[in-house]
Amino acid sequence: MTFMPGSAAFENAVPAATPLSGEEAIGFVLSVAGASSQVVLDPAALEAAMAHPDPVAASAGQVGSQIKMRVGGSWLVANVRSLVYQETGAGRIVAEIDFLGEGDEERLTGKLYNFRRGVTRYPVPGCHVVPVTTGDLRQVYAADTVPSVGVGTVYPTKDVRASMLIDAMLGKHFALVGSTGTGKSTGAALLLHRICERAPLGHIVMIDPHGEYGAAFKTNGALYDVNNLQMPYWLMNFEEHCEVFLTTSGSERQIDGDILAKCLLMARGKSRLGQEIPKLTVDAPIPYMLSDLTNLIQLEMGKMDRAGDTAPYLRLKTKIEEIKADPRYGFMFSGMLVADTMANFIGRVFRMPGDGKPISIIDVSGVPSDITSVVVAVLSRMVFDYAIWSRNEPQRPILLVCEEAHRYIPADNGVAKSSVGRILARIAKEGRKYGVSLGLITQRPSDLSEGVLSQCGTIIAMRLNNERDQAFVRAAMPEGARGFLESIPALRNRECIICGEGVSIPIRVALDTLEEAKRPASGDPVFSQLWREVGDEEAIITRTIKRWRAQGK
């Protein structure tokens, strides 16, 4: 069947063309211009297609759907970006389309196979447009020949699997964005579970700021929090020491920093390890004792040739002693962490070897808020520095996943102000060269540094309610995905748009349901039920206050 004979507009407009065997034409190409072009769709043919038993063919012509056209011995696949109805004669619909890729045509059946991204030949105006079928989508999304992980089904089908190309996705970073309550945490857990299943000997480090993911990875992950992380303070570089120990700003901060640099270098040099290194730097991860650092500051303060007053020395000494005495900082600044445990720490946190548990969940919810960003900075920098200094060794790529990424890499030049922002921005730009992959998860993409988001080769977008967030993600997504973007506000829970390097072409996906035991502890409270429950309030308050006063200990 060609175009509906009852449509006068089409009888006048459609150029003469050979009917397509076994395919129902729904329109023709109007104009061609590089990546995007225009096609004219027949309203009557679209209405007839809606009754098609194939749900993919039935949705032909809708925004975000795919269409195809034959050029020589190939099928070109395009995505519908927008639709406009024009009042001419019997009326017609003009659609903006983006070319996605092309596949070969099987001579006997006319079916599409061997799909690849990108277009080598363009159609000419007048070329017939036909719906894409479920069989076509199976070929388009087939990922049998390359390592991939299945995360759901392609909308609107129930059985076409949506697979993500694991090497392309991790090799060029990825971002998962979505408003709170859309299933973002569960989606992240699903993706990480699938990666762990595919690579049980992998190396994944996840920064978990709310303590949600420990419940999801009890069986296949190593869980660390303030009680067992044991991250030695001497792993910090000079910049991170400044963020913890310096309390001033402006010119005073410069003076305090100079004193800290001099005393820290001497403290590192006092250890046996430090004495073995001929050109020791203040950034080198050499163990030292905090008491040595405070004694050196006291010594410098007492020197007769010292310039200026004693205030900077006293400020530094007081701050260091305050942190040493505070039990909340014990996971990092305990006197027990003086020994050289760097190899053990790297092996534990980076899962080398992983013992069948390829992911480390670093729960920083119990870390004092004033040093949370420093802890994340140290962990991120350790990942990057390890990759740099192990270049001549057998490569062990590491995936660093950062939940609530907008807290650490904020927009408005916030990246340049903090050590964590600088190191994550550097990983985004250079990590690929050294085998470090970055996964960013955020509910406010507009608060995230634009430069860092643009470095993410794969974007997984769940529903975004905020218009500013939608515009931000739209700007970061590739041109061919623009048609899908219009549906981001209308996505249901556990649905997402995936585009970029990790998929062959942009797709709308209904994510798989995750078993209860593998879900993060991020469910919404059921107010209508919980507010009917009464009793034992006094004991609840007593126990809560006890934990509160002991700061979780």
Side-chain angles (χ1 to χ4, degrees):
M1 168 180 156
T2 56
F3 299 108
M4 289 295 188
S7 176
F10 275 74
E11 287 177 359
N12 296 330
V14 178
T18 308
L20 300 166
S21 59
E23 299 283 357
E24 299 182 355
I26 56 170
F28 65 91
V29 176
L30 181 66
S31 64
V32 178
S36 63
S37 305
Q38 287 186 324
V39 299
V40 176
L41 300 175
D42 180 0
L46 291 178
E47 195 171 337
M50 287 179 187
H52 201 290
D54 182 341
V56 177
S59 66
Q62 295 178 16
V63 169
S65 68
Q66 286 84 42
I67 54 175
K68 64 181 181 179
M69 54 215 79
R70 182 193 278 130
V71 178
S74 302
W75 282 113
L76 298 192
V77 177
N79 184 58
V80 177
R81 184 197 293 193
S82 62
L83 299 170
V84 177
Y85 183 75
Q86 293 186 343
E87 291 280 1
T88 54
R92 68 180 192 175
I93 297 170
V94 177
E96 292 274 347
I97 63 167
D98 299 305
F99 292 113
L100 300 173
E102 62 187 13
D104 299 327
E105 181 188 16
E106 205 171 70
R107 288 192 177 180
L108 294 175
T109 62
K111 290 181 179 177
L112 180 152
Y113 73 101
N114 190 26
F115 179 83
R116 58 247 172 222
R117 186 186 291 186
V119 174
T120 54
R121 296 174 65 186
Y122 287 94
V124 294
C127 175
H128 283 88
V129 171
V130 295
V132 161
T133 64
T134 297
D136 293 331
L137 286 189
R138 279 204 183 89
Q139 289 294 323
V140 167
Y141 299 121
D144 304 332
T145 57
V146 290
S148 60
V149 290
V151 291
T153 53
V154 178
Y155 178 88
T157 72
K158 299 292 183 191
D159 57 349
V160 177
R161 293 295 293 163
S163 296
M164 301 191 68
L165 315 178
I166 191 166
D167 291 327
M169 177 181 73
L170 299 183
K172 295 182 180 173
H173 313 311
F174 69 90
L176 171 56
V177 302
S179 295
T180 184
T182 58
K184 177 169 50 64
S185 299
T186 308
L190 169 70
L191 181 59
L192 292 173
H193 273 300
R194 293 286 192 266
I195 293 172
C196 290
E197 288 163 14
R198 175 82 199 190
L201 302 177
H203 312 286
I204 306 170
V205 179
M206 178 171 203
I207 310 293
D208 177 11
H210 301 305
E212 295 177 331
Y213 291 89
F217 293 93
K218 280 178 183 171
T219 56
N220 61 343
L223 314 179
Y224 298 104
D225 58 18
V226 290
N227 297 314
N228 66 345
L229 181 58
Q230 295 180 315
M231 185 171 79
Y233 57 87
W234 47 262
L235 287 175
M236 294 190 294
N237 64 14
F238 174 62
E239 181 186 12
E240 290 148 4
H241 271 88
C242 288
E243 285 195 28
V244 177
F245 292 152
L246 302 192
T247 55
T248 50
S249 59
S251 59
E252 283 187 337
R253 189 178 182 86
Q254 183 65 50
I255 294 166
D256 292 7
D258 291 342
I259 295 167
L260 178 61
K262 183 178 181 182
C263 296
L264 179 60
L265 184 59
M266 288 193 289
R268 290 199 196 274
K270 282 188 74 171
S271 70
R272 181 182 55 80
L273 270 175
Q275 289 167 6
E276 291 172 2
I277 297 172
K279 291 185 179 178
L280 185 65
T281 70
V282 73
D283 286 330
I286 301 293
Y288 72 90
M289 294 176 70
L290 284 171
S291 55
D292 281 347
L293 181 58
T294 51
N295 289 340
L296 286 162
I297 292 169
Q298 180 78 40
L299 204 64
E300 286 293 307
M301 184 172 67
K303 284 186 177 177
M304 298 300 290
D305 58 350
R306 166 183 53 76
D309 61 4
T310 58
Y313 298 89
L314 288 171
R315 272 198 301 263
L316 265 174
K317 190 166 176 284
T318 305
K319 181 66 178 176
I320 295 167
E321 287 173 345
E322 178 189 309
I323 285 175
K324 259 176 72 177
D326 193 331
R328 295 178 305 149
Y329 297 87
F331 73 97
M332 191 173 179
F333 292 94
S334 164
M336 305 294 289
L337 297 174
V338 177
D340 182 12
T341 54
M342 189 171 177
N344 176 48
F345 182 79
I346 287 174
R348 276 192 310 132
V349 174
F350 297 174
R351 312 310 301 146
M352 295 181 185
D355 299 322
K357 295 185 175 183
I359 184 168
S360 282
I361 305 295
I362 314 292
D363 175 3
V364 295
S365 60
V367 174
S369 57
D370 53 339
I371 64 161
T372 302
S373 62
V374 173
V375 171
V376 177
V378 172
L379 290 164
S380 306
R381 186 180 49 76
M382 293 284 288
V383 169
F384 190 64
D385 283 355
Y386 177 82
I388 288 177
W389 295 111
S390 65
R391 273 177 296 181
N392 298 326
E393 303 293 335
Q395 198 171 27
R396 299 286 186 269
I398 300 172
L399 166 61
L400 176 65
V401 183
C402 194
E403 171 70 276
E404 297 284 358
H406 57 274
R407 284 171 51 172
Y408 307 117
I409 333 172
D412 306 323
N413 296 321
V415 169
K417 294 176 186 172
S418 67
S419 54
V420 67
R422 277 192 287 272
I423 187 59
L424 288 174
R426 191 175 177 200
I427 290 174
K429 291 171 188 168
E430 305 171 30
R432 185 174 55 87
K433 303 172 190 172
Y434 304 109
V436 179
S437 178
L438 185 62
L440 302 177
I441 305 169
T442 178
Q443 60 189 7
R444 287 307 307 270
S446 59
D447 290 345
L448 191 67
S449 166
E450 190 172 0
V452 173
L453 186 63
S454 66
Q455 297 287 338
C456 294
T458 305
I459 293 182
I460 305 162
M462 304 188 84
R463 187 173 72 249
L464 288 165
N465 302 324
N466 186 287
E467 200 171 321
R468 190 159 152 257
D469 290 333
Q470 293 166 21
F472 201 77
V473 172
R474 193 175 290 119
M477 278 191 170
E479 189 73 17
R482 297 295 165 87
F484 288 92
L485 291 172
E486 308 305 322
S487 59
I488 282 181
L491 290 172
R492 292 174 293 188
N493 285 359
R494 290 185 35 252
E495 276 193 351
C496 62
I497 304 295
I498 308 176
C499 66
E501 302 292 334
V503 285
S504 47
I505 65 171
I507 45 175
R508 179 172 171 177
V509 177
L511 294 173
D512 289 338
T513 304
L514 204 54
E515 307 94 276
E516 192 70 40
K518 293 184 176 180
R519 291 181 195 168
S522 59
D524 296 328
V526 185
F527 286 84
S528 58
Q529 177 186 327
L530 295 175
W531 278 356
R532 287 202 299 267
E533 296 176 6
V534 292
D536 207 27
E537 277 81 6
E538 290 179 6
I540 291 171
I541 292 171
T542 303
R543 289 193 298 267
T544 302
I545 291 173
K546 188 177 179 182
R547 284 194 298 271
W548 194 342
R549 285 174 172 162
Q551 294 291 294
K553 295 289 187 291

